[in-house]
Amino acid sequence: MSEVQTFESFGLSEPVRRAVAEVGYPTPTPVQQATFQTIAEGKDVIVQSRTGSGKTAAFALPLIDRVIKPARNVQVMVLCPTRELALQVAGEFERLGKYSELGVTPIYGGAGMQQQIDALKAGAKVVVGTPGRMLDHLRRKTLDVSNLRAIVLDEGDEMLSMGFAEELNAILGMLPKGRQALIFSATMPDAMSRMAARHQREPVTIALSSDNVAPSGIEHHAYFSASGGSVPDLLKVLEIEKPKAALVFCNTKAETELVARGLQNAGYRAEYLNGDLAQNDRERVMGLLREERVDFLVATDVAARGIDVPHLSHVIHCGFPESPEAYVHRSGRTGRAGRTGTAISLIGPHDIGNLYLLRLTYGIRPIERTLPSAAENRTRIEAARVESLVAAASGKVSDDALVLAKRLLTHDDAERAVAWLVDRFVMGVREEEAMPPVPSERPSAPAAVAAAAEAPAREPRANGRPPRERAPRRERAEPEPERKIEVHHADPKAPEATPGEEVGMESLELAVGRREGVRAGEVARLLRDVGLLAKSEVGRIHVRDRVTLVSVSAEKIDELLEVLADVKYNDVPVAPKRADVASAPETAAPVIAAETATAD
Ligand code: ADP
Ligand code: MG
């Protein structure tokens, strides 16, 4: 086993070789090397190999190449714990069997029964599905398995831990005696061995790195906090780790929704996936994830099992799992096939025992980290601001300014003077906040500097940019009569000290003003709570007699026009529109004023 085998050494038939080349697998993975001949010879196997090691192709290749015959009947059945995984496995069969005239039919609950029956009638040779629905078809005799040559239990341990033992035994009992039985599993609990003993004939056991089933190439980090997996903690962790895309695990369905909303409110592109979602919603969410239009998928173990999305760099255990096996499985969603990944755990006081168990069972010792305190957070943000301010100042400055700066810095009040400059030109604080807009009074702030100073605070939002498509926000789009606008802050601290981004702002005009009793702070809240803008996406707000002008992130303006279309302020429609350039004092030299305007 030491020398690296190539796909050539498998002696693959031409159609399979072509498909492998097209899929682009360079060499077989260890589990594929270790199992190919045995499966091709028709033997029963029980294979233990860590998540992400390429088990799907390990059974698909020999089955397609050697086991499946030209006859058009169901010859291979694969059982998977979830629909998503079934679809994934079906996809792998389709890709690798592209030139082998396979016919692959996914069979899972939640999709139309008749549709599946039709697909079966069309002559599928491979059926891939979840145990429940598969058993349904067998009992109704809509699935003829009399010619079945092989059955695969994929993620066997998971199917058992999900309570599918009864279905599995029933299905295995209904299959022809001569069939080959392949069991693939990341861990090998006793119940799995018992099932093997009952349904397999002299199985060949193939265990790869059995002492280390944890996916390799994964770094494990653990953050300790008193509250465990709360949304504010999660947001802090995201700021530190800056994952591009992550699968976020929660222990309950309700939490997935809550956490996804919290992430959305903080501006991240997040969706949730749990067993309560209708099938087409699940498919929609998975589609968004695959197309990288969603960066954070919040899911329960069951919903996310086996999901293989290559760009997931991080797995976050927002709720720490009860069992070490679950930790291994969840973490295996990242670091797929030789890629590296990071598994992050939020550890509350109740999770310490399970963390210890993880170490005992699999020798995984996450690097322990502590969440920054509010003060540390502040220091970090300040340091980043100074950095980017200095970076922004590397451009041209006039000699006059340099001379003035030198003198200024030797002055006794230098610190105060610099602070004043920072206030006016970086933070955008104005002296008379409530002053009506007079264009000439506007400080001509070096917008680039102001924007650059924001860079660090803005960064976590880089992946939080829409296209968002969400329905529920309209539900709270009506401000209540007394101008009370409910505030739903996922974490009031998260967008901390994030005054507006000045470059790329546009002016929005609302058809309500002082006459309607509009106040700037409330408009800011409306934009944040109804429009879901971050603090940094709201600039100056000018309340005039009949209209209010707001500078908002240019990227968001179209979305805002839509979202605010039906919103009323004290019973008067706000009728949003793009402000005329002439009446829009912000566009020329926008200044950060969000904090002054948003009387929180
Ligand atoms: P497992 O079932 O062991 O968790 P998968 O079968 O889902 O792993 O494979 C994990 C990833 O590795 C998939 O994205 C798959 O396309 C890829 N993969 C499989 N075989 C190879 C190979 N020989 N070379 C490169 N990548 C592979
Ligand atoms: Mg798998």
Side-chain angles (χ1 to χ4, degrees):
M1 259 266 317
S2 57
E3 98 257 34
V4 178
Q5 289 176 309
T6 59
F7 280 114
E8 300 296 304
S9 68
F10 286 4
L12 296 172
S13 62
E14 172 54 24
V16 179
R17 204 169 14 191
R18 239 168 92 203
V20 169
E22 224 166 83
V23 171
Y25 295 159
T27 50
T29 65
V31 69
Q32 290 160 7
Q33 294 178 30
T35 56
F36 186 87
Q37 289 309 333
T38 318
I39 297 175
E41 284 163 19
K43 294 195 179 117
D44 283 4
V45 292
I46 176 157
V47 182
Q48 179 188 6
S49 178
R50 62 180 174 73
T51 338
S53 56
K55 292 192 286 293
T56 319
F59 56 78
L61 280 175
L63 291 176
I64 297 170
D65 197 57
R66 307 285 174 83
V67 177
I68 296 173
K69 303 293 173 214
R72 296 217 74 91
N73 43 36
V74 174
Q75 301 179 41
V76 167
M77 175 189 289
V78 184
L79 296 175
C80 302
T82 65
R83 317 175 243 209
E84 276 73 26
L85 191 52
L87 285 171
Q88 217 158 275
V89 169
E92 185 88 338
F93 265 97
E94 258 162 16
R95 279 190 296 279
L96 296 173
K98 186 171 172 193
Y99 303 107
S100 308
E101 292 183 36
L102 274 193
V104 183
T105 302
I107 301 276
Y108 50 85
M113 194 85 180
Q114 190 55 45
Q115 209 179 317
Q116 293 171 0
I117 293 173
D118 293 344
L120 289 170
K121 281 203 189 118
K125 294 186 203 167
V126 179
V127 293
V128 186
T130 48
R133 180 56 72 94
M134 201 69 91
L135 190 57
D136 254 14
H137 278 286
L138 287 173
R139 289 196 169 133
R140 295 187 192 192
K141 306 219 182 318
T142 44
L143 173 62
D144 176 12
V145 287
S146 51
N147 295 297
L148 196 89
R149 306 179 70 90
I151 165 93
V152 182
L153 306 190
D154 189 21
E155 310 259 356
D157 52 350
E158 288 305 320
M159 289 198 282
L160 291 180
S161 74
M162 286 169 70
F164 280 132
E166 207 176 305
E167 281 91 343
L168 293 180
N169 279 317
I171 293 170
L172 284 159
M174 292 167 96
L175 304 179
K177 287 283 153 292
R179 84 283 181 289
Q180 190 178 354
L182 317 176
I183 296 179
F184 282 76
S185 205
T187 60
M188 209 49 71
D190 291 345
M192 193 75 257
S193 313
R194 284 200 299 275
M195 179 160 296
R198 186 165 158 197
H199 295 286
Q200 289 188 304
R201 275 164 307 146
E202 299 166 26
V204 178
T205 301
I206 300 171
L208 285 111
S209 55
S210 55
D211 51 341
N212 177 23
V213 292
S216 59
I218 293 189
E219 266 190 42
H220 302 267
H221 298 168
Y223 288 84
F224 290 87
S225 78
S227 57
S230 69
V231 172
D233 285 350
L234 176 62
L235 292 174
K236 278 188 207 154
V237 167
L238 293 184
E239 285 226 359
I240 298 168
E241 302 264 353
K242 301 198 190 320
K244 262 211 172 73
L247 196 52
V248 180
F249 282 99
C250 294
N251 290 332
T252 68
K253 293 178 200 167
E255 280 162 356
T256 58
E257 217 175 318
L258 209 79
V259 169
R261 295 245 179 282
L263 289 174
Q264 288 172 355
N265 285 340
Y268 291 102
R269 299 194 302 181
E271 292 286 344
Y272 67 91
L273 189 72
N274 67 37
D276 287 349
L277 280 188
Q279 181 61 22
N280 45 4
D281 280 331
R282 296 164 70 107
E283 277 161 22
R284 182 185 59 86
V285 169
M286 286 306 296
L288 288 174
L289 188 68
R290 291 229 164 74
E291 292 161 20
E292 305 192 20
R293 286 162 64 200
V294 156
D295 305 304
F296 294 87
L297 181 67
V298 189
T300 54
D301 287 21
V302 173
R305 198 142 291 150
I307 285 177
D308 177 41
V309 182
H311 71 284
L312 290 179
S313 55
H314 288 64
V315 162
I316 302 175
H317 307 277
C318 188
F320 197 72
E322 294 274 305
S323 78
E325 284 79 17
Y327 182 94
V328 168
H329 271 282
R330 286 172 168 196
S331 303
R333 298 303 119 222
T334 184
R336 312 287 283 167
R339 284 182 289 271
T340 55
T342 309
I344 300 164
S345 302
L346 273 68
I347 309 278
H350 299 294
D351 304 319
I352 306 238
N354 287 327
L355 184 67
Y356 185 63
L357 199 60
L358 179 67
R359 182 191 298 182
L360 282 185
T361 318
Y362 294 118
I364 296 173
R365 291 163 185 266
I367 300 164
E368 297 182 9
R369 302 187 154 186
T370 38
L371 285 172
S373 64
E376 283 167 326
N377 229 0
R378 222 189 148 78
T379 318
R380 215 164 40 78
I381 290 171
E382 281 168 6
R385 275 200 172 152
V386 168
E387 284 299 309
S388 53
L389 196 59
V390 171
S394 66
K396 241 178 117 185
V397 284
S398 70
D399 290 343
D400 284 355
L402 266 181
V403 171
L404 203 60
K406 278 204 182 110
R407 290 195 79 142
L408 177 62
L409 288 176
T410 57
H411 197 280
D412 281 349
D413 281 332
E415 199 173 293
R416 256 198 93 73
V418 173
W420 186 89
L421 286 171
V422 167
D423 260 354
R424 296 306 174 284
F425 301 117
V426 180
M427 313 290 260
V429 172
R430 295 192 298 154
E431 243 142 338
E432 310 88 350
E433 192 229 319
M435 283 276 282
V438 180
S440 60
E441 147 229 48
R442 192 190 334 130
S444 54
V449 171
E454 278 324 294
R458 205 177 348 154
E459 188 161 350
R461 299 188 42 77
N463 43 27
R465 290 267 145 77
R468 290 192 200 141
E469 35 187 76
R470 247 175 284 123
R473 74 168 73 153
R474 267 164 204 272
E475 287 161 19
R476 40 184 166 92
E478 295 278 316
E480 283 154 37
E482 316 69 47
R483 304 200 312 261
K484 284 262 158 54
I485 298 162
E486 263 190 278
V487 182
H488 300 265
H489 280 302
D491 172 17
K493 279 162 279 159
E496 177 185 318
T498 309
E501 302 168 325
E502 297 318 303
V503 173
M505 299 296 258
E506 259 197 75
S507 216
L508 180 76
E509 183 179 317
L510 305 177
V512 288
R514 262 194 289 272
R515 287 189 180 196
E516 285 76 27
V518 168
R519 276 190 263 133
E522 285 178 356
V523 172
R525 280 195 196 183
L526 177 76
L527 293 173
R528 273 151 55 188
D529 292 336
V530 179
L532 291 178
L533 296 194
K535 244 185 184 174
S536 59
E537 292 168 323
V538 183
R540 255 202 197 164
I541 298 172
H542 289 314
V543 183
R544 294 181 173 174
D545 250 10
R546 291 156 173 241
V547 296
T548 299
L549 294 168
V550 197
S551 81
V552 295
S553 154
E555 279 176 49
K556 293 291 175 65
I557 196 155
D558 284 328
E559 200 178 311
L560 274 176
L561 291 173
E562 203 178 296
V563 174
L564 296 177
D566 307 328
V567 173
K568 289 179 184 160
Y569 197 98
N570 278 350
D571 280 331
V572 183
V574 302
K577 61 170 194 176
R578 276 197 165 75
D580 297 335
V581 185
S583 63
E586 295 329 308
T587 41
V591 171
I592 302 163
E595 295 195 322
T596 53
T598 56
D600 260 348

